[in-house]
Amino acid sequence: MTPRDMLRLCQCDSRCDSNERRGASFVRGMISNRLIRRRTERIRTWIRPTPPPLKPLWSGLWIWLLSENATSLATTLASLDVSSNSLKKTKTMMLPLLRSQLLSHPLYDSVRTVHNLRLFMREHVFAVWDFMSLLKRLQQLVTCTQVPWLPPTDPEASRFINEIVLGEECDDDGRGGHASHLELYMQSMQEVGADTKPIHLFLSRLAQQIPVEQAITEAAILPSTRDFVRSTLRTVSLGRPHEIAAEFFYGREDVIPDMFARLVEALPSQGVRVERLVHYLKRHIELDTNEHGPLARKLVDNLCDQQPQRLAEADAAAAHALKMRASLWDGILSEIQIPSFVSWSHGLAHPIPLNHRKTQGTNFAGTDVFRWSIENIHARLAVAES
């Protein structure tokens, strides 16, 4: 069969007879299989051993891209028999890259207005809450919180985590008293005028012994925020000590000072008071940079104990935490960028539910969002005319 015949068969349509259609299906399958084989051979060539220093670069990048998610990285590395030296170099490349992407996220420059800051705080407060869940789980694992009390198996790790708990759960509130960082953040939300109803309702449901999954499902927050909290709680419930410590350090204590420094720079100057928020952000920057960050790093090192398997699992957990934080930022940024007539629906009689909103650039004509907005606009005009 000539190339011209193959092209004609691939382009045949319903007007061709059944034999031609069967031939076209066969040729398409043959071409598809050939492309798959070429792609597979190309990938195999790329991850074959190459002279240093290319080996850790290519193997690390392609292992990451071929993995379905960050948590499968350790398994993939083990199956390809990557040396511990390559593993260490892979970690060196991946985590700084994810961290850099997170710190360059456009969200920080989008909170320069009061409206956007309020929206950001409404969602971010849930990350402040689940931070404490990570911390308290670590305290359960490395210290003794039960009665009768027993000496901790690792006194150094116990001291590290207790010092962090002291600073996070009952810190100086800037007014001569003490408060948890969640309470400081909620005070700053009230000062700015952010919506505190979702977090208050969530906490009240937990106080009523409602399961956390049900409480987070009922919360009126963005899907990305809900997924972020669920991911943290999954790590808290199922993660090993070194994985939880890695997510706590790389996903929180290590990156928070730089993230919050970006936020301090972007705070709006439009007459709204941000005194409590600035105190919260600067206090976190100070503690995490000088005290909590170094302590959390020591905790990760102690729990990993230089074991290659633990180091690989800790790196995978850290990468997953950074990716989930980026997804949280993506969700908030998408909400900020919603067209004005959709955001305006908050003040309407029937505001648009969060799960039905679309991001900027979507064709709204013919969608429920479009119909709801037009109906509410007509309702507003009718009230104004009457």
Side-chain angles (χ1 to χ4, degrees):
M1 181 179 295
T2 65
R4 187 185 300 275
D5 295 332
M6 293 180 66
L7 179 62
R8 185 179 65 83
L9 285 172
C10 287
Q11 293 176 341
C12 77
D13 54 20
S14 59
R15 292 172 295 180
C16 302
D17 59 28
S18 59
N19 290 332
E20 287 184 328
R21 287 198 297 272
R22 283 196 295 269
S25 177
F26 171 76
V27 171
R28 290 193 192 102
M30 189 168 58
I31 293 174
S32 177
N33 290 336
R34 186 177 300 173
L35 290 175
I36 291 173
R37 285 198 299 272
R38 286 181 181 175
R39 194 173 302 164
T40 304
E41 285 299 324
R42 208 171 286 166
I43 292 174
R44 287 176 180 170
T45 302
W46 281 329
I47 64 175
R48 280 174 188 158
T50 56
L54 293 178
K55 178 177 179 180
L57 173 64
W58 288 110
S59 61
L61 286 176
W62 279 104
I63 287 164
W64 183 265
L65 292 174
L66 291 173
S67 300
E68 291 184 359
N69 50 51
T71 56
S72 64
L73 179 61
T75 305
T76 308
L77 289 170
S79 65
L80 292 178
D81 194 22
V82 178
S83 65
S84 60
N85 188 36
S86 296
L87 176 62
K88 190 177 297 185
K89 292 180 180 178
T90 301
K91 166 194 170 183
T92 305
M93 292 183 298
M94 286 303 167
L95 294 183
L97 176 62
L98 293 171
R99 189 180 188 277
S100 175
Q101 291 175 346
L102 183 61
L103 293 178
S104 61
H105 199 283
L107 175 67
Y108 306 110
D109 294 328
S110 300
V111 294
R112 297 185 182 277
T113 67
V114 175
H115 173 269
N116 293 350
L117 177 63
R118 289 169 177 169
L119 193 154
F120 170 82
M121 296 183 73
R122 184 194 72 194
E123 304 296 322
H124 179 244
V125 67
F126 284 85
V128 178
W129 172 81
D130 75 357
F131 171 93
M132 289 303 301
S133 299
L134 268 177
L135 179 58
K136 298 303 285 187
R137 178 57 178 158
L138 280 173
Q139 188 179 32
Q140 291 176 350
L141 291 171
V142 302
T143 70
C144 182
T145 58
Q146 300 175 348
V147 177
W149 178 84
L150 292 172
T153 56
D154 189 343
E156 288 295 323
S158 178
R159 181 172 181 82
F160 295 159
I161 202 67
N162 281 330
E163 288 188 12
I164 296 175
V165 170
L166 177 65
E168 298 287 346
E169 199 167 33
C170 47
D171 195 16
D172 176 16
D173 67 353
R175 295 175 174 175
H178 298 87
S180 69
H181 282 188
L182 176 63
E183 292 169 313
L184 290 177
Y185 197 85
M186 293 175 69
Q187 291 172 10
S188 66
M189 290 178 69
Q190 293 175 345
E191 184 180 64
V192 171
D195 184 8
T196 60
K197 291 180 182 178
I199 186 63
H200 277 301
L201 179 60
F202 175 72
L203 294 176
S204 66
R205 299 290 279 169
L206 294 182
Q208 296 168 9
Q209 304 299 316
I210 301 297
V212 65
E213 175 59 30
Q214 179 180 341
I216 196 65
T217 301
E218 295 174 353
I221 54 177
L222 297 174
S224 58
T225 307
R226 193 174 292 113
D227 291 341
F228 181 86
V229 174
R230 283 172 175 160
S231 175
T232 302
L233 296 178
R234 192 179 305 115
T235 300
V236 168
S237 302
L238 305 177
R240 301 177 182 87
H242 54 278
E243 293 173 325
I244 299 175
E247 179 165 336
F248 180 75
F249 172 64
Y250 290 103
R252 309 293 177 120
E253 298 294 332
D254 178 55
V255 74
I256 278 178
D258 293 328
M259 288 195 306
F260 282 6
R262 293 285 312 275
L263 288 173
V264 170
E265 297 171 0
L267 286 179
S269 55
Q270 300 184 15
V272 65
R273 295 188 59 187
V274 292
E275 172 194 350
R276 303 303 291 160
L277 179 58
V278 170
H279 172 76
Y280 169 85
L281 295 174
K282 290 187 175 180
R283 185 61 177 158
H284 243 301
I285 294 171
E286 177 187 352
L287 285 176
D288 292 348
T289 301
N290 301 326
E291 300 177 24
H292 296 177
L295 291 175
R297 180 184 288 276
K298 288 181 181 179
L299 182 62
V300 175
D301 293 339
N302 282 8
L303 293 175
C304 288
D305 196 24
Q306 298 299 320
Q307 297 183 25
Q309 181 67 21
R310 289 187 181 182
L311 289 171
E313 292 169 349
D315 294 343
H320 179 69
L322 292 173
K323 291 173 69 177
M324 290 305 300
R325 173 72 70 163
S327 296
L328 173 65
W329 280 182
D330 289 341
I332 299 175
L333 182 63
S334 297
E335 180 75 358
I336 287 175
Q337 293 176 340
I338 287 177
S340 58
F341 74 85
V342 179
S343 297
W344 176 70
S345 72
H346 273 299
L348 301 176
H350 304 286
I352 301 169
L354 291 172
N355 59 339
H356 286 284
R357 295 181 184 170
K358 310 295 182 183
T359 57
Q360 191 174 25
T362 302
N363 181 12
F364 287 92
T367 64
D368 289 341
V369 172
F370 183 81
R371 286 193 295 271
W372 286 333
S373 299
I374 295 301
E375 289 171 3
N376 280 287
I377 290 172
H378 285 307
R380 277 284 181 97
L381 291 175
V383 171
E385 291 175 355
S386 62

PDB file of all heavy atoms in Angstrom, residues 179-203:
ATOM      1  N   ALA A 179      -3.090  34.645  72.489  1.00  0.00           N
ATOM      2  CA  ALA A 179      -4.133  34.068  71.634  1.00  0.00           C
ATOM      3  C   ALA A 179      -3.480  33.126  70.642  1.00  0.00           C
ATOM      4  O   ALA A 179      -2.285  33.241  70.337  1.00  0.00           O
ATOM      5  CB  ALA A 179      -4.907  35.163  70.894  1.00  0.00           C
ATOM      6  N   SER A 180      -4.271  32.179  70.145  1.00  0.00           N
ATOM      7  CA  SER A 180      -3.778  31.300  69.083  1.00  0.00           C
ATOM      8  C   SER A 180      -3.694  32.099  67.790  1.00  0.00           C
ATOM      9  O   SER A 180      -4.324  33.149  67.636  1.00  0.00           O
ATOM     10  CB  SER A 180      -4.706  30.107  68.907  1.00  0.00           C
ATOM     11  OG  SER A 180      -5.950  30.512  68.353  1.00  0.00           O
ATOM     12  N   HIS A 181      -2.925  31.582  66.855  1.00  0.00           N
ATOM     13  CA  HIS A 181      -2.792  32.284  65.577  1.00  0.00           C
ATOM     14  C   HIS A 181      -4.105  32.275  64.797  1.00  0.00           C
ATOM     15  O   HIS A 181      -4.358  33.182  64.000  1.00  0.00           O
ATOM     16  CB  HIS A 181      -1.657  31.668  64.763  1.00  0.00           C
ATOM     17  CG  HIS A 181      -0.310  32.118  65.229  1.00  0.00           C
ATOM     18  ND1 HIS A 181       0.861  31.839  64.556  1.00  0.00           N
ATOM     19  CD2 HIS A 181       0.060  32.851  66.317  1.00  0.00           C
ATOM     20  CE1 HIS A 181       1.884  32.378  65.200  1.00  0.00           C
ATOM     21  NE2 HIS A 181       1.419  32.995  66.271  1.00  0.00           N
ATOM     22  N   LEU A 182      -4.931  31.259  64.995  1.00  0.00           N
ATOM     23  CA  LEU A 182      -6.242  31.262  64.350  1.00  0.00           C
ATOM     24  C   LEU A 182      -7.096  32.405  64.896  1.00  0.00           C
ATOM     25  O   LEU A 182      -7.774  33.112  64.126  1.00  0.00           O
ATOM     26  CB  LEU A 182      -6.950  29.929  64.561  1.00  0.00           C
ATOM     27  CG  LEU A 182      -8.385  29.847  64.011  1.00  0.00           C
ATOM     28  CD1 LEU A 182      -8.386  30.010  62.497  1.00  0.00           C
ATOM     29  CD2 LEU A 182      -9.057  28.541  64.406  1.00  0.00           C
ATOM     30  N   GLU A 183      -7.065  32.610  66.208  1.00  0.00           N
ATOM     31  CA  GLU A 183      -7.836  33.703  66.802  1.00  0.00           C
ATOM     32  C   GLU A 183      -7.319  35.062  66.326  1.00  0.00           C
ATOM     33  O   GLU A 183      -8.106  35.973  66.052  1.00  0.00           O
ATOM     34  CB  GLU A 183      -7.769  33.615  68.330  1.00  0.00           C
ATOM     35  CG  GLU A 183      -8.500  32.410  68.902  1.00  0.00           C
ATOM     36  CD  GLU A 183      -8.212  32.199  70.371  1.00  0.00           C
ATOM     37  OE1 GLU A 183      -7.027  32.244  70.771  1.00  0.00           O
ATOM     38  OE2 GLU A 183      -9.175  31.997  71.128  1.00  0.00           O
ATOM     39  N   LEU A 184      -5.992  35.197  66.206  1.00  0.00           N
ATOM     40  CA  LEU A 184      -5.424  36.442  65.695  1.00  0.00           C
ATOM     41  C   LEU A 184      -5.892  36.709  64.264  1.00  0.00           C
ATOM     42  O   LEU A 184      -6.225  37.840  63.910  1.00  0.00           O
ATOM     43  CB  LEU A 184      -3.890  36.381  65.738  1.00  0.00           C
ATOM     44  CG  LEU A 184      -3.225  36.411  67.110  1.00  0.00           C
ATOM     45  CD1 LEU A 184      -1.719  36.258  66.963  1.00  0.00           C
ATOM     46  CD2 LEU A 184      -3.557  37.700  67.853  1.00  0.00           C
ATOM     47  N   TYR A 185      -5.937  35.662  63.467  1.00  0.00           N
ATOM     48  CA  TYR A 185      -6.344  35.828  62.083  1.00  0.00           C
ATOM     49  C   TYR A 185      -7.824  36.196  61.982  1.00  0.00           C
ATOM     50  O   TYR A 185      -8.211  37.054  61.178  1.00  0.00           O
ATOM     51  CB  TYR A 185      -6.074  34.546  61.302  1.00  0.00           C
ATOM     52  CG  TYR A 185      -6.086  34.725  59.803  1.00  0.00           C
ATOM     53  CD1 TYR A 185      -4.949  35.152  59.133  1.00  0.00           C
ATOM     54  CD2 TYR A 185      -7.236  34.480  59.065  1.00  0.00           C
ATOM     55  CE1 TYR A 185      -4.955  35.327  57.751  1.00  0.00           C
ATOM     56  CE2 TYR A 185      -7.255  34.655  57.695  1.00  0.00           C
ATOM     57  CZ  TYR A 185      -6.103  35.072  57.035  1.00  0.00           C
ATOM     58  OH  TYR A 185      -6.124  35.254  55.677  1.00  0.00           O
ATOM     59  N   MET A 186      -8.646  35.569  62.813  1.00  0.00           N
ATOM     60  CA  MET A 186     -10.082  35.885  62.777  1.00  0.00           C
ATOM     61  C   MET A 186     -10.342  37.300  63.279  1.00  0.00           C
ATOM     62  O   MET A 186     -11.256  37.980  62.801  1.00  0.00           O
ATOM     63  CB  MET A 186     -10.855  34.846  63.582  1.00  0.00           C
ATOM     64  CG  MET A 186     -10.820  33.457  62.957  1.00  0.00           C
ATOM     65  SD  MET A 186     -11.607  32.162  63.937  1.00  0.00           S
ATOM     66  CE  MET A 186     -13.324  32.655  63.825  1.00  0.00           C
ATOM     67  N   GLN A 187      -9.547  37.781  64.228  1.00  0.00           N
ATOM     68  CA  GLN A 187      -9.652  39.180  64.651  1.00  0.00           C
ATOM     69  C   GLN A 187      -9.313  40.124  63.505  1.00  0.00           C
ATOM     70  O   GLN A 187      -9.966  41.147  63.311  1.00  0.00           O
ATOM     71  CB  GLN A 187      -8.726  39.441  65.839  1.00  0.00           C
ATOM     72  CG  GLN A 187      -9.148  38.771  67.134  1.00  0.00           C
ATOM     73  CD  GLN A 187      -8.102  38.907  68.224  1.00  0.00           C
ATOM     74  OE1 GLN A 187      -7.129  39.659  68.094  1.00  0.00           O
ATOM     75  NE2 GLN A 187      -8.285  38.167  69.319  1.00  0.00           N
ATOM     76  N   SER A 188      -8.282  39.754  62.746  1.00  0.00           N
ATOM     77  CA  SER A 188      -7.903  40.592  61.605  1.00  0.00           C
ATOM     78  C   SER A 188      -8.966  40.549  60.520  1.00  0.00           C
ATOM     79  O   SER A 188      -9.184  41.543  59.817  1.00  0.00           O
ATOM     80  CB  SER A 188      -6.545  40.145  61.056  1.00  0.00           C
ATOM     81  OG  SER A 188      -6.614  38.845  60.491  1.00  0.00           O
ATOM     82  N   MET A 189      -9.661  39.415  60.366  1.00  0.00           N
ATOM     83  CA  MET A 189     -10.760  39.339  59.403  1.00  0.00           C
ATOM     84  C   MET A 189     -11.884  40.300  59.778  1.00  0.00           C
ATOM     85  O   MET A 189     -12.446  40.999  58.921  1.00  0.00           O
ATOM     86  CB  MET A 189     -11.298  37.908  59.331  1.00  0.00           C
ATOM     87  CG  MET A 189     -10.362  36.903  58.688  1.00  0.00           C
ATOM     88  SD  MET A 189     -11.034  35.233  58.682  1.00  0.00           S
ATOM     89  CE  MET A 189     -12.388  35.411  57.498  1.00  0.00           C
ATOM     90  N   GLN A 190     -12.219  40.352  61.062  1.00  0.00           N
ATOM     91  CA  GLN A 190     -13.263  41.274  61.522  1.00  0.00           C
ATOM     92  C   GLN A 190     -12.845  42.722  61.309  1.00  0.00           C
ATOM     93  O   GLN A 190     -13.664  43.576  60.943  1.00  0.00           O
ATOM     94  CB  GLN A 190     -13.561  41.006  62.992  1.00  0.00           C
ATOM     95  CG  GLN A 190     -14.198  39.647  63.253  1.00  0.00           C
ATOM     96  CD  GLN A 190     -14.365  39.352  64.727  1.00  0.00           C
ATOM     97  OE1 GLN A 190     -13.768  40.023  65.574  1.00  0.00           O
ATOM     98  NE2 GLN A 190     -15.163  38.348  65.044  1.00  0.00           N
ATOM     99  N   GLU A 191     -11.563  43.016  61.524  1.00  0.00           N
ATOM    100  CA  GLU A 191     -11.060  44.370  61.350  1.00  0.00           C
ATOM    101  C   GLU A 191     -11.152  44.811  59.887  1.00  0.00           C
ATOM    102  O   GLU A 191     -11.529  45.951  59.589  1.00  0.00           O
ATOM    103  CB  GLU A 191      -9.608  44.433  61.826  1.00  0.00           C
ATOM    104  CG  GLU A 191      -8.987  45.818  61.786  1.00  0.00           C
ATOM    105  CD  GLU A 191      -7.549  45.794  62.277  1.00  0.00           C
ATOM    106  OE1 GLU A 191      -6.710  45.145  61.609  1.00  0.00           O
ATOM    107  OE2 GLU A 191      -7.255  46.412  63.305  1.00  0.00           O
ATOM    108  N   VAL A 192     -10.831  43.882  58.974  1.00  0.00           N
ATOM    109  CA  VAL A 192     -10.848  44.195  57.543  1.00  0.00           C
ATOM    110  C   VAL A 192     -12.269  44.176  56.988  1.00  0.00           C
ATOM    111  O   VAL A 192     -12.565  44.831  55.988  1.00  0.00           O
ATOM    112  CB  VAL A 192      -9.941  43.200  56.780  1.00  0.00           C
ATOM    113  CG1 VAL A 192     -10.085  43.334  55.275  1.00  0.00           C
ATOM    114  CG2 VAL A 192      -8.489  43.411  57.173  1.00  0.00           C
ATOM    115  N   GLY A 193     -13.167  43.440  57.651  1.00  0.00           N
ATOM    116  CA  GLY A 193     -14.530  43.304  57.147  1.00  0.00           C
ATOM    117  C   GLY A 193     -14.728  42.074  56.291  1.00  0.00           C
ATOM    118  O   GLY A 193     -15.689  42.006  55.508  1.00  0.00           O
ATOM    119  N   ALA A 194     -13.847  41.087  56.428  1.00  0.00           N
ATOM    120  CA  ALA A 194     -13.982  39.843  55.668  1.00  0.00           C
ATOM    121  C   ALA A 194     -15.105  38.993  56.245  1.00  0.00           C
ATOM    122  O   ALA A 194     -15.460  39.116  57.429  1.00  0.00           O
ATOM    123  CB  ALA A 194     -12.663  39.064  55.691  1.00  0.00           C
ATOM    124  N   ASP A 195     -15.632  38.126  55.430  1.00  0.00           N
ATOM    125  CA  ASP A 195     -16.746  37.265  55.829  1.00  0.00           C
ATOM    126  C   ASP A 195     -16.239  36.144  56.736  1.00  0.00           C
ATOM    127  O   ASP A 195     -15.471  35.277  56.308  1.00  0.00           O
ATOM    128  CB  ASP A 195     -17.400  36.675  54.575  1.00  0.00           C
ATOM    129  CG  ASP A 195     -18.638  35.849  54.902  1.00  0.00           C
ATOM    130  OD1 ASP A 195     -19.072  35.852  56.072  1.00  0.00           O
ATOM    131  OD2 ASP A 195     -19.173  35.194  53.978  1.00  0.00           O
ATOM    132  N   THR A 196     -16.660  36.160  57.999  1.00  0.00           N
ATOM    133  CA  THR A 196     -16.246  35.130  58.953  1.00  0.00           C
ATOM    134  C   THR A 196     -17.307  34.049  59.170  1.00  0.00           C
ATOM    135  O   THR A 196     -17.098  33.130  59.959  1.00  0.00           O
ATOM    136  CB  THR A 196     -15.913  35.770  60.322  1.00  0.00           C
ATOM    137  OG1 THR A 196     -17.082  36.442  60.811  1.00  0.00           O
ATOM    138  CG2 THR A 196     -14.765  36.754  60.200  1.00  0.00           C
ATOM    139  N   LYS A 197     -18.428  34.153  58.469  1.00  0.00           N
ATOM    140  CA  LYS A 197     -19.495  33.180  58.676  1.00  0.00           C
ATOM    141  C   LYS A 197     -19.073  31.754  58.326  1.00  0.00           C
ATOM    142  O   LYS A 197     -19.359  30.822  59.087  1.00  0.00           O
ATOM    143  CB  LYS A 197     -20.731  33.585  57.877  1.00  0.00           C
ATOM    144  CG  LYS A 197     -21.419  34.838  58.393  1.00  0.00           C
ATOM    145  CD  LYS A 197     -22.635  35.186  57.543  1.00  0.00           C
ATOM    146  CE  LYS A 197     -23.300  36.465  58.036  1.00  0.00           C
ATOM    147  NZ  LYS A 197     -24.462  36.847  57.176  1.00  0.00           N
ATOM    148  N   PRO A 198     -18.385  31.514  57.201  1.00  0.00           N
ATOM    149  CA  PRO A 198     -18.007  30.127  56.874  1.00  0.00           C
ATOM    150  C   PRO A 198     -17.138  29.477  57.938  1.00  0.00           C
ATOM    151  O   PRO A 198     -17.391  28.338  58.331  1.00  0.00           O
ATOM    152  CB  PRO A 198     -17.277  30.274  55.544  1.00  0.00           C
ATOM    153  CG  PRO A 198     -17.838  31.507  54.927  1.00  0.00           C
ATOM    154  CD  PRO A 198     -18.087  32.421  56.073  1.00  0.00           C
ATOM    155  N   ILE A 199     -16.117  30.188  58.449  1.00  0.00           N
ATOM    156  CA  ILE A 199     -15.226  29.568  59.436  1.00  0.00           C
ATOM    157  C   ILE A 199     -15.932  29.422  60.781  1.00  0.00           C
ATOM    158  O   ILE A 199     -15.750  28.410  61.479  1.00  0.00           O
ATOM    159  CB  ILE A 199     -13.913  30.379  59.587  1.00  0.00           C
ATOM    160  CG1 ILE A 199     -12.938  29.644  60.503  1.00  0.00           C
ATOM    161  CG2 ILE A 199     -14.182  31.785  60.046  1.00  0.00           C
ATOM    162  CD1 ILE A 199     -12.466  28.315  60.010  1.00  0.00           C
ATOM    163  N   HIS A 200     -16.775  30.392  61.159  1.00  0.00           N
ATOM    164  CA  HIS A 200     -17.512  30.270  62.417  1.00  0.00           C
ATOM    165  C   HIS A 200     -18.483  29.084  62.368  1.00  0.00           C
ATOM    166  O   HIS A 200     -18.594  28.316  63.340  1.00  0.00           O
ATOM    167  CB  HIS A 200     -18.278  31.562  62.715  1.00  0.00           C
ATOM    168  CG  HIS A 200     -17.448  32.618  63.373  1.00  0.00           C
ATOM    169  ND1 HIS A 200     -16.813  32.425  64.585  1.00  0.00           N
ATOM    170  CD2 HIS A 200     -17.145  33.898  62.989  1.00  0.00           C
ATOM    171  CE1 HIS A 200     -16.166  33.514  64.928  1.00  0.00           C
ATOM    172  NE2 HIS A 200     -16.344  34.428  63.971  1.00  0.00           N
ATOM    173  N   LEU A 201     -19.178  28.936  61.252  1.00  0.00           N
ATOM    174  CA  LEU A 201     -20.108  27.819  61.117  1.00  0.00           C
ATOM    175  C   LEU A 201     -19.361  26.489  61.129  1.00  0.00           C
ATOM    176  O   LEU A 201     -19.804  25.522  61.758  1.00  0.00           O
ATOM    177  CB  LEU A 201     -20.903  27.967  59.812  1.00  0.00           C
ATOM    178  CG  LEU A 201     -21.916  26.845  59.517  1.00  0.00           C
ATOM    179  CD1 LEU A 201     -22.963  26.768  60.619  1.00  0.00           C
ATOM    180  CD2 LEU A 201     -22.581  27.072  58.159  1.00  0.00           C
ATOM    181  N   PHE A 202     -18.223  26.446  60.466  1.00  0.00           N
ATOM    182  CA  PHE A 202     -17.406  25.237  60.437  1.00  0.00           C
ATOM    183  C   PHE A 202     -16.956  24.842  61.843  1.00  0.00           C
ATOM    184  O   PHE A 202     -17.078  23.676  62.258  1.00  0.00           O
ATOM    185  CB  PHE A 202     -16.200  25.464  59.526  1.00  0.00           C
ATOM    186  CG  PHE A 202     -15.213  24.336  59.502  1.00  0.00           C
ATOM    187  CD1 PHE A 202     -15.511  23.133  58.870  1.00  0.00           C
ATOM    188  CD2 PHE A 202     -13.974  24.466  60.123  1.00  0.00           C
ATOM    189  CE1 PHE A 202     -14.602  22.086  58.842  1.00  0.00           C
ATOM    190  CE2 PHE A 202     -13.055  23.434  60.104  1.00  0.00           C
ATOM    191  CZ  PHE A 202     -13.368  22.242  59.465  1.00  0.00           C
ATOM    192  N   LEU A 203     -16.453  25.795  62.601  1.00  0.00           N
ATOM    193  CA  LEU A 203     -15.979  25.502  63.955  1.00  0.00           C
ATOM    194  C   LEU A 203     -17.134  25.114  64.879  1.00  0.00           C
ATOM    195  O   LEU A 203     -16.979  24.241  65.746  1.00  0.00           O
ATOM    196  CB  LEU A 203     -15.235  26.716  64.525  1.00  0.00           C
ATOM    197  CG  LEU A 203     -13.933  27.092  63.816  1.00  0.00           C
ATOM    198  CD1 LEU A 203     -13.348  28.359  64.421  1.00  0.00           C
ATOM    199  CD2 LEU A 203     -12.917  25.953  63.878  1.00  0.00           C
TER     200      LEU A 203
END
